């Protein structure tokens, strides 16, 4: 038996059951025992169908006789009959419809039942559609209540609307267009099938299906869209069962919310917004009729591309509505209604942040997914600042690799030569073909904030390659590259990323090639008081890597964790001018016995390998001295180094940096990995004198205009028993990191910013975390190390050289877009009750006359009697301090041999002679930066981009 006839008769078997005995539909027949029952069902189904032909006043026998007169011509013209043997079909008609005895019938009912049984096995339960709410589209708004993003599952960009909120005229339009007898049939409309059958005979072309609205819902939601006989017969049975499980109103509501209507819109509500810029409840009858006409084929009848087809389809729908007395003749004028401009939603920023929104909604609001319904999420992000943070991180990572010669050019982003050729052949084109092709090309890294450019010319002359590129604004500029191999490898119509350099003085405008970096990074801008995430960049590019390194990665923080140890010291009662020895120290492993291995002992070193003797806590933190920090742990926090480590660990967990602290001494130098977002929250607490905000990206979530979640604005925890004085002292010390320490390359920011650089072992991680009065900005740079190794950033690549250069553009943007630039606040009233100011010598910590020499104003705590609690020599005695200084006479100091700027503390003497490479204009901040104690090892010379975008003159 021909396979197509097997499928047709299996479908007929399903049709017969749902139309003649809908309450007793069988989904399995025995090929032998049920043979007679199957034959009877086929005959009953045929008799039922003949009645539909009679009602439509069509003589089925005459129609078949006409068809049989020219079987080949008919089957070749009608797509619905392709591959069908009409002679065999006629035999079947005689056997089952005319109930004639046919000798040698070619039909094997066993094969029919076998196909039927297989097709309808494991049918979905129609009752599951009862009260079903389809996936919806959630809208994310930024902190200015402007639309940032839509979140929806693929093929489900919809907003659910209740049937009662859809105008009756609009409902009638869909019924007239798709299922005239919707309220009369029980899932299958025999008369609709007849009309489709006749239409396919008389108007060969696009085949008509004859599916009811119920069948379309079954297809869309339960049985799938496969164009197969299996799907069709499953659809019939499920549609029949739906009619008994759901009301007509429920089926219609499901239909109007599930259909695709073009312009990326699923359902009537999203379609109304996309085509007319209004909700479904505001649609007119004509607007509803246009949308109803699209249900048959949203691409074929698309009013944007095929207005004539759309107008004809609109006229058809309005005519059907008029015939059914749904509208009068005056309302049936087929004039296309005014459409709003269609702008596909293409976002080019904020992808890591929006991903984080979805995860946070699950944690704080218990929503498994934001696509289960339509929500409005009011987020914390500042969209303008978010763009700048992303652009700064992308440029900074690329600059790092360019300036360390680590870049690797792996070819252009695309080649558009084929598109250019096709556009050039179109006589209607009014712009250059390359420009049209470039504008319509979406590069793989769609969130990179460089400009795309197409190579128009690559010629070689006496001076080398001359490459010209075209930009999306139509301009043509010369392209600068860094490698002859890159120049040779670029071909006409290759598309690359560029950074445009505007003309300046005698220097003409040009485009500088930009190359995808291998190195990764992350950046976060956090509101200090509120904990609002104002901007979040989780990596170089979201399409390249969805890992959000702000919240999903753990990295060693290095020296950015040192403030924790110094906070513990200040809480212990020590002062910023307390002296500690910066000299070698070896600590036995915790719980060690006399048999401990030598390699288990801890002997830290300073980055530059030096030791400076007795120095103040302030200088130790400002200049990130490892030995001083280890000595402080061993002698300044408690009776032993082990108990001192316990104090730091307790504080770390109180600050919510860790849930558990790894008890080994390198912890105090940042050896235990941390999340960037938790580190930023700790620094925000320093800015707040101990109040740690709860970082969050969601302010409120609404559903149908009703709030279902709201962030607690009072979600703040105090660290350190609200010891605000200690926190302010730490804040002042971190301000000194910029003024005099490892971040002094940006010392001009020190009145406004405090912060700390960080570099981990072998330069695997580079950090800078800085805060203003209003925001904390955390930046990390490193390699993902997915292979289990720890790839170094390179010799001498510290946080001050790799991460810090990205800080200033971000903080300047934060001052412009979020809160104005202000000097860091002094101590609060509560803190000042415990503090007193004293002019001291910063090198020794000794009191010094105000305004003299290196005099510096320090904030020191009072003792119970109200006087200064003098702890200067609590750890290091005065005798030890003087002995190590070697007779310090006030004109020199322990830092003199390596200090490159003796004016840092107000000294008016001429500066220490600068090396030649620092004379004249320089990069700002330079990737090389200033030499400091984090960069004392010799390095090979690095190539520096002369147009480095953080440039500044001395």
């Amino acid at each position: 038996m021909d396979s197509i006839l097997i499928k047709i008769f299996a479908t007929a078997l399903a049709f017969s059951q749902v139309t003649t005995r809908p309450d007793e539909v069988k989904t399995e027949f025995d090929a032998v025992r049920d043979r007679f029952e199957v034959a009877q069902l086929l005959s009953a189904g045929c008799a039922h169908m003949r009645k539909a032909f009679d009602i439509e006043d069509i003589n089925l026998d005459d129609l078949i006789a006409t068809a049989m007169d020219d079987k080949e011509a008919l089957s070749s013209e009608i797509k619905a009959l392709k591959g069908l043997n009409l002679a065999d079909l006629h035999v079947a008609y005689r056997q089952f419809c005319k109930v004639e005895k046919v000798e040698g019938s070619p039909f094997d009912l066993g094969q029919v039942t076998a196909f039927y049984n297989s097709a309808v096995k494991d049918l979905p339960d129609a009752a599951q559609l009862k009260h079903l709410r389809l996936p919806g589209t959630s809208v994310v708004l930024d902190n200015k209540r402007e639309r940032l993003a839509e979140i929806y599952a693929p093929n489900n960009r919809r907003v659910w609307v209740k049937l009662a909120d859809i105008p009756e005229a609009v409902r009638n339009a869909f019924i007239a267009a798709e299922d005239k007898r919707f309220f009369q049939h029980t899932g299958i409309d025999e008369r609709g099938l007849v009309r489709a059958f006749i239409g396919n005979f008389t108007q060969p072309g696009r085949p008509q299906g004859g599916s009811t609205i119920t069948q379309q819902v079954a297809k869309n939601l339960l049985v799938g869209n496969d164009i197969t006989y299996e799907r069709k017969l499953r659809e019939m049975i499920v549609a029949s069962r739906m009619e008994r499980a759901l009301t007509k109103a429920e089926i219609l509501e499901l239909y109007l919310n599930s259909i695709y209507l073009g312009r990326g819109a699923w359902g009537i509500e999203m379609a109304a917004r996309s085509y007319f810029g209004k909700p479904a409840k505001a649609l007119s009858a004509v607007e509803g009729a246009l949308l109803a006409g699209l249900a048959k084929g949203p691409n074929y009848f698309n009013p944007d591309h095929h207005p004539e087809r759309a107008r004809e389809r609109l006229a058809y729908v309005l005519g059907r509505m008029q015939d059914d007395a749904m509208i009068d003749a005056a309302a049936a004028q087929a004039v296309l209604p005014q459409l709003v401009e269609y702008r596909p939603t293409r976002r080019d920023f904020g992808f890591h942040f929006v991903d984080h929104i979805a995860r946070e909604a699950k944690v704080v609001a218990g929503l498994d997914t934001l696509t289960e319904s339509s929500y409005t999420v009011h987020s914390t992000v500042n969209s303008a600042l978010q763009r700048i943070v992303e652009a700064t991180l992308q440029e900074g990572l690329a600059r790092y690799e360019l300036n360390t010669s680590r870049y690797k050019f792996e070819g252009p982003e695309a080649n558009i030569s084929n598109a250019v050729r096709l556009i050039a052949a179109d006589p209607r084109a009014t712009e250059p073909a390359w420009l049209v092709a470039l504008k319509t090309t979406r590069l793989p890294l769609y969130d990179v904030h460089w400009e795309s450019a197409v190579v128009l010319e690559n010629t070689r002359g006496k001076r080398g390659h001359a490459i010209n590129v075209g930009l999306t604004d139509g301009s043509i500029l010369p392209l600068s590259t860094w490698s002859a191999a890159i120049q040779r490898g670029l071909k006409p119509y290759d598309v690359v990323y560029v950074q445009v350099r505007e003309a300046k003085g005698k220097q003409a405008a040009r485009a500088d090639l930009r190359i995808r970096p291998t190195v990764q990074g992350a950046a976060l801008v956090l509101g200090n008081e509120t904990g609002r995430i104002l901007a979040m960049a989780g990596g170089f590019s979201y399409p390249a890597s969805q890992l959000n390194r702000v919240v999903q990665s753990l990295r060693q923080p290095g020296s950015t964790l040192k403030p924790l140890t110094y906070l513990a010291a200040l809480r212990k009662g020590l002062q910023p001018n307390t002296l500690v020895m910066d000299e070698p120290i070896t600590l036995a492993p915790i719980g060690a016995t006399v048999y401990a291995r030598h390699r288990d002992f801890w002997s830290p070193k300073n980055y530059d390998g030096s030791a400076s003797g007795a120095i103040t806590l302030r200088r130790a933190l400002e200049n990130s001295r490892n030995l001083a920090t280890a000595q402080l742990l061993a002698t300044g926090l408690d009776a032993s180094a082990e108990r001192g480590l316990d104090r730091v660990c307790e504080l770390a967990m109180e600050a919510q940096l860790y849930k558990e602290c790894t008890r080994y001494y390198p912890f105090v130098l940042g050896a235990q990995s941390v999340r960037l977002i938790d580190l930023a929250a700790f620094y925000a607490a320093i800015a707040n004198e101990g109040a740690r905000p709860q970082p969050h990206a969601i302010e409120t979530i609404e559903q149908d205009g009703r709030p279902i979640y709201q962030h607690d604005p009072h979600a703040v925890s105090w660290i350190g028993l609200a010891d605000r004085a200690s926190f302010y002292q730490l804040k002042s010390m971190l301000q000194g990191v910029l003024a005099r320490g490892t971040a002094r390359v940006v010392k001009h920011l020190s009145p406004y910013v405090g912060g700390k650089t960080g570099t981990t072992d072998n330069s695997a991680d580079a950090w800078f975390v800085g805060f203003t009065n209003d925001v904390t900005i955390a930046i990390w740079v490193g390699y993902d190390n997915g292979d289990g190794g720890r790839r170094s950033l390179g010799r001498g690549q510290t946080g001050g050289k790799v991460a810090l250069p990205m800080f200033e553009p971000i903080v300047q943007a934060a001052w412009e877009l979020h809160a104005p630039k202000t000097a860091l606040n002094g101590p609060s009233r509560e803190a000042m009750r415990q503090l007193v100011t004293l002019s001291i010598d910063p090198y020794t910590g000794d009191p010094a006359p105000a305004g003299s020499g290196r005099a510096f104003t320090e904030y020191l705590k009072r003792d119970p009697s109200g006087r200064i609690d003098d702890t200067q020599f609590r750890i290091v005695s005065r005798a030890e301090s003087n002995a190590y200084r070697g007779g310090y006479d006030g004109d020199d100091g322990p830092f003199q041999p390596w200090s490159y700027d003796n004016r840092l503390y107000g000294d008016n003497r001429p500066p220490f002679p600068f090396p030649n490479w620092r004379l004249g204009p320089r990069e700002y901040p330079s990737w090389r930066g200033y030499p400091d104690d984090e960069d004392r090892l010799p390095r090979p010379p690095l190539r520096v981009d002369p147009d480095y975008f953080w440039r500044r003159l001395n």
Side-chain angles (χ1 to χ4, degrees):
M1 185 175 178
D2 189 67
S3 62
I4 191 171
L5 285 177
I6 293 173
K7 296 173 181 178
I8 288 176
F9 274 85
T11 306
L13 180 58
F15 171 81
S16 177
Q17 292 189 85
V18 300
T19 55
T20 62
R21 57 177 200 186
D23 295 329
E24 302 175 15
V25 175
K26 290 177 64 173
T27 56
E28 184 174 7
F29 290 93
D30 185 273
V32 177
R33 187 174 60 252
D34 297 330
R35 188 181 187 89
F36 179 72
E37 181 184 4
V38 169
Q40 280 192 318
L41 282 170
L42 289 174
S43 296
C46 188
H48 188 86
M49 194 66 177
R50 284 181 62 93
K51 293 179 181 179
F53 274 89
D54 292 340
I55 293 172
E56 292 293 322
D57 197 22
I58 298 171
N59 189 311
L60 182 57
D61 289 331
D62 290 347
L63 184 64
I64 292 175
T66 302
M68 295 302 297
D69 286 343
D70 194 355
K71 296 186 292 291
E72 293 184 3
L74 185 65
S75 60
S76 64
E77 289 180 6
I78 301 174
K79 294 181 181 180
L81 301 181
K82 284 286 186 181
L84 182 62
N85 187 326
L86 289 182
D88 287 346
L89 191 59
H90 188 223
V91 172
Y93 175 71
R94 291 169 50 210
Q95 183 175 346
F96 297 109
C97 294
K98 305 291 287 185
V99 196
E100 296 179 4
K101 188 173 183 180
V102 178
E103 296 294 338
S105 172
F107 295 100
D108 184 346
L109 293 182
Q111 290 180 296
V112 172
T113 56
F115 180 83
Y116 174 87
N117 292 343
S118 174
V120 301
K121 184 170 59 178
D122 300 325
L123 283 175
D125 182 9
Q128 66 183 281
L129 297 181
K130 191 79 171 177
H131 308 303
L132 173 70
R133 286 290 294 265
L134 297 173
T137 297
S138 291
V139 176
V140 179
L141 306 178
D142 65 12
N143 64 354
K144 298 186 184 299
R145 303 181 69 86
E146 295 179 356
R147 182 176 295 237
L148 170 67
E150 290 181 348
I151 301 177
Y152 54 90
N155 299 333
N156 279 282
R157 182 173 173 260
R158 73 165 52 78
V159 175
W160 186 276
V161 60
K162 296 179 180 178
L163 186 65
D165 293 332
I166 302 173
E168 184 179 7
V170 176
R171 286 180 265 160
N172 288 339
F174 279 89
I175 293 172
E178 292 295 303
D179 192 355
K180 178 179 180 180
R181 298 182 63 250
F182 172 69
F183 289 106
Q184 286 77 48
H185 65 66
T186 57
I188 307 297
D189 184 7
E190 303 88 333
R191 294 172 60 181
L193 288 173
V194 168
R195 287 193 296 271
F197 183 76
I198 299 303
N200 290 333
F201 264 83
T202 58
Q203 296 178 350
R206 284 175 58 88
Q208 299 181 35
S211 294
T212 64
I213 284 177
T214 311
Q215 286 177 272
Q216 292 184 55
V217 172
K219 176 185 70 174
N220 292 339
L221 303 182
L222 292 178
V223 301
N225 290 319
D226 295 340
I227 306 175
T228 62
Y229 282 94
E230 290 93 330
R231 187 269 293 174
K232 196 65 179 178
L233 58 91
R234 290 169 66 85
E235 173 191 298
M236 286 182 178
I237 297 174
V238 172
S240 176
R241 292 176 175 176
M242 279 177 56
E243 289 280 349
R244 296 192 300 280
L246 282 73
T247 67
K248 288 289 186 178
E250 290 171 331
I251 294 172
L252 186 58
E253 185 172 301
L254 278 170
Y255 172 73
L256 292 173
N257 281 286
S258 65
I259 51 174
Y260 179 65
L261 295 170
R263 285 197 174 188
W266 274 260
I268 184 71
E269 178 68 18
M270 187 62 78
R273 298 181 186 184
S274 297
Y275 284 98
F276 304 111
K278 62 175 69 171
K281 65 182 179 182
L283 289 174
S284 68
V286 175
E287 290 167 341
L290 176 65
L291 297 181
L294 295 175
K296 183 178 179 65
N299 294 324
Y300 186 82
F301 297 108
N302 188 316
D304 299 310
H305 303 298
H306 308 292
E308 287 304 317
R309 292 180 189 170
R311 187 176 292 106
E312 291 176 4
R313 182 66 178 166
L314 174 62
Y316 167 79
V317 175
L318 291 173
R320 291 285 297 267
M321 294 177 71
Q322 184 180 0
D323 292 344
D324 295 337
M326 296 175 175
I327 56 174
D328 56 27
Q333 300 301 312
V335 178
L336 285 178
Q338 184 67 39
L339 305 179
V340 297
E341 182 181 358
Y342 178 43
R343 294 182 178 179
T345 54
R346 282 191 175 180
R347 184 162 46 94
D348 63 354
F349 76 107
F351 290 93
H352 282 112
F353 176 80
V354 173
D355 258 12
H356 179 68
I357 284 278
R359 287 190 295 272
E360 185 172 304
K362 184 174 183 178
V363 173
V364 302
L367 301 177
D368 287 337
T369 172
L370 284 173
T371 62
E372 67 184 5
S373 185
S374 296
Y375 303 100
T376 300
V377 181
H378 294 265
S379 79
T380 60
V381 75
N382 182 313
S383 292
L385 183 59
Q386 175 71 31
R387 284 183 179 275
I388 291 174
V389 169
E390 289 182 12
T392 301
L393 181 66
Q394 290 165 359
E395 180 72 1
L397 296 178
R399 290 264 182 196
Y400 156 75
E401 289 201 344
L402 288 171
N403 289 319
T404 55
S405 297
R406 289 193 170 203
Y407 64 87
K408 185 178 180 181
F409 183 69
E410 297 182 346
E413 298 294 324
N415 184 281
I416 57 174
S417 55
N418 290 336
V420 171
R421 184 170 58 253
L422 292 174
I423 294 169
D426 186 352
R428 297 172 297 177
T430 57
E431 293 182 314
W434 66 263
L435 179 58
V436 177
L438 182 62
K439 286 180 178 179
T440 56
T441 297
R442 196 181 192 203
L443 298 181
L445 303 186
Y446 43 78
D447 62 346
V448 168
H449 297 282
W450 297 316
E451 291 194 47
S452 57
V454 58
V455 176
L456 300 179
E457 182 182 28
N458 188 350
T459 59
R460 187 168 186 175
K462 295 181 179 180
R463 296 186 179 181
H465 286 266
I467 304 176
N468 289 327
V469 294
L471 307 178
T472 53
D473 63 359
S475 62
I476 298 176
L477 296 176
L479 178 69
S480 297
T481 64
W482 294 271
S483 163
I486 294 176
Q487 294 171 345
R488 291 191 299 269
L490 290 175
K491 305 184 300 296
Y493 303 123
D494 279 345
V495 179
V496 295
Y497 287 118
V498 298
Q499 185 77 280
V500 176
R501 301 299 179 192
E502 302 295 336
K504 187 176 183 181
K506 296 182 179 180
Q507 189 176 22
R510 72 178 192 273
D512 292 343
L513 179 68
R514 286 292 173 263
I515 300 170
R516 297 186 188 190
T518 304
V519 72
Q520 275 292 355
L524 176 72
V525 182
L526 188 70
N528 288 341
E529 292 187 5
T530 63
R532 292 172 180 151
I533 296 174
L534 301 172
M536 170 190 283
F540 170 74
S541 171
Y542 181 84
S545 172
Q546 286 76 57
L547 178 67
N548 188 337
R549 294 156 188 84
V550 172
V551 294
Q552 293 179 303
S553 287
L554 291 169
R555 301 295 297 219
Q556 290 183 345
S559 296
T560 55
L561 195 72
K562 284 178 182 173
L564 202 65
T565 300
Y566 288 82
L567 177 61
L570 295 171
R571 290 180 60 193
K572 177 72 175 177
L574 302 181
Q575 304 272 29
N577 73 329
T578 301
L579 294 174
V580 65
M581 295 304 295
D582 183 47
E583 64 180 10
I585 183 174
T586 296
L587 297 176
I590 295 175
T593 66
V594 294
Y595 303 106
R597 297 173 299 181
H598 175 73
R599 66 182 182 183
D600 293 332
F601 284 73
W602 186 48
S603 299
K605 295 181 180 179
N606 284 328
Y607 188 90
D608 60 2
S610 70
S612 302
I615 62 174
T616 64
L617 295 189
R618 172 180 284 278
R619 288 290 286 168
L621 180 58
E622 288 178 351
N623 291 281
S624 201
R625 305 299 284 176
N626 291 341
L627 292 178
T629 305
Q631 290 278 4
L632 180 61
L633 171 71
T635 61
L637 302 185
D638 214 313
S640 66
E642 184 173 347
R643 292 180 64 177
L645 178 61
D646 289 339
R647 302 291 82 76
V648 179
C649 282
E650 290 167 3
L651 192 56
M653 290 186 286
E654 189 177 349
Q656 300 179 48
L657 285 166
Y658 304 101
K659 293 182 178 179
E660 294 182 1
C661 174
T662 303
R663 294 184 73 252
Y664 68 132
Y665 295 126
F667 172 84
V668 298
L669 300 184
Q672 183 173 339
S673 298
V674 68
R675 294 196 310 166
L676 183 148
I677 193 170
D678 296 328
L679 193 61
F682 171 59
Y683 275 75
I686 298 173
N688 296 337
E689 293 186 357
R692 182 193 183 276
Q694 177 61 49
H696 64 284
I698 299 174
E699 293 286 14
T700 61
I701 301 177
E702 298 174 356
Q703 184 178 26
D704 300 327
R706 175 177 51 87
I708 61 171
Y709 167 77
Q710 185 167 359
H711 174 75
D712 180 5
H714 305 295
V716 174
S717 56
W718 287 88
I719 304 171
L721 302 175
D723 186 357
R724 302 184 69 147
S726 294
F727 269 100
Y728 179 76
Q729 289 177 311
L730 178 62
K731 173 181 171 181
S732 174
M733 292 163 72
L734 291 175
Q735 190 174 8
V737 173
L738 280 77
R740 297 166 293 274
T742 57
R744 60 181 176 270
V745 65
V746 291
K747 61 183 179 181
H748 61 284
L749 296 178
S750 62
Y752 317 99
V753 176
K756 185 72 184 74
T757 57
T759 311
T760 60
D761 186 48
N762 197 32
S763 296
D765 303 274
W767 295 81
F768 182 74
V769 186
F771 55 83
T772 68
N773 285 325
D774 302 289
V775 300
T776 292
I777 299 168
I779 301 168
W780 166 83
V781 178
Y783 291 94
D784 279 340
N785 303 326
D787 57 0
R790 296 184 72 235
R791 183 178 178 185
S792 171
L793 290 166
R795 199 174 192 183
Q797 297 304 313
T798 64
K801 293 173 180 58
V802 180
L804 179 59
M806 297 180 233
F807 175 79
E808 184 169 2
I810 295 176
V811 75
Q812 295 287 3
W815 283 327
E816 179 180 349
L817 299 170
H818 176 65
K821 180 179 180 181
T822 55
L824 280 178
N825 295 330
S828 65
R829 183 178 302 174
E830 295 85 346
M832 199 62 212
R833 292 194 186 103
Q834 305 175 53
L835 297 173
V836 63
T837 59
L838 179 68
S839 180
I840 66 168
D841 184 308
Y843 289 111
T844 65
D846 296 335
S852 65
R854 292 181 291 253
F856 173 78
T857 300
E858 187 67 88
Y859 285 84
L860 303 175
K861 287 182 184 173
R862 304 172 187 266
D863 63 16
S865 66
R867 293 176 296 184
I868 293 176
D869 188 5
D870 187 3
T871 65
Q872 182 181 0
F873 301 105
R874 180 176 293 181
I875 300 175
V876 178
S877 70
R878 187 183 299 272
E880 289 176 308
S881 172
N882 289 334
Y884 197 92
R885 289 183 215 157
Y888 175 74
D889 61 4
D891 293 325
D892 201 358
F895 298 96
Q896 187 66 24
W898 54 267
S899 175
Y900 279 85
D901 191 344
N902 296 329
R903 297 174 298 174
L904 297 177
Y905 285 87
D907 191 345
N908 293 321
R909 294 177 299 174
F912 190 86
F914 291 161
N916 290 335
W917 61 264
R918 291 186 57 197
L919 297 176
R922 63 180 175 83
E923 303 252 336
Y924 180 75
S926 168
W927 286 115
R928 288 181 55 89
Y930 285 87
D932 56 38
D933 76 318
E934 288 193 338
D935 186 20
R936 294 289 293 163
L937 299 178
R939 302 188 309 277
L942 302 179
R943 184 186 51 72
V944 178
D945 186 341
D947 293 301
Y948 179 41
F949 86 129
W950 290 293
R951 186 175 179 84
R952 179 178 177 271
L953 298 180
N954 272 324

